[in-house]
Amino acid sequence: SIMSCSWPYFAGFFDAEGCVGIASTYAGLRLSVAQVNDHVLQCLLQFLHNNGLTRWSLFHRDRSSLLQCSYRTTCNQTLEYLLAHGLSLKRRQAELALSLTAGNHGEIRDAVS
């Protein structure tokens, strides 16, 4: 069965399972979603790539799979789409991440973590 992924679906999924990470030593951003069953991550990866967000990758680990992006421009585009389509629990984290600069890096990292 082919799941139909959409921005509202990904926003809800990212709210529940996603992670907004700020690098420890520089103004870098990483978005990730880990799952034991990679079926939904495969679907999301295809959806993201179909939407031009081709810097997202899927990694397979021992007991789980990880959908991840650490390319700043793509992270920002993804967060903007998620915010526009109902991201709620992680809205504040997403907004903070979008405002990340070299100058406010420490402050934003503390606020997001």
Side-chain angles (χ1 to χ4, degrees):
S1 69
I2 295 173
M3 290 177 47
S4 68
C5 294
S6 63
W7 283 112
Y9 175 84
F10 188 35
F13 195 81
F14 195 86
D15 256 339
E17 307 286 344
C19 175
V20 178
I22 311 286
S24 55
T25 54
Y26 66 102
L29 186 54
R30 184 182 67 242
L31 303 181
S32 58
V33 186
Q35 285 287 289
V36 174
N37 178 350
D38 80 340
H39 182 72
V40 67
L41 298 185
Q42 297 268 14
C43 176
L44 287 168
L45 180 70
Q46 192 64 57
F47 171 76
L48 290 161
H49 284 196
N50 288 348
N51 279 273
L53 301 168
T54 56
R55 296 292 192 108
W56 278 90
S57 304
L58 185 56
F59 301 96
H60 300 284
R61 303 183 297 190
D62 280 354
R63 290 185 181 80
S64 65
S65 295
L66 183 71
L67 184 65
Q68 182 173 289
C69 179
S70 51
Y71 184 69
R72 183 68 191 272
T73 307
T74 304
C75 286
N76 284 1
Q77 289 172 320
T78 303
L79 289 172
E80 283 165 4
Y81 281 126
L82 291 173
L83 285 166
H85 290 89
L87 191 72
S88 59
L89 301 175
K90 294 198 168 78
R91 175 167 291 273
R92 179 96 182 106
Q93 284 188 340
E95 288 168 347
L96 286 166
L98 284 168
S99 72
L100 180 67
T101 64
N104 68 15
H105 167 256
E107 187 187 327
I108 295 289
R109 186 165 192 263
D110 290 345
V112 168
S113 51

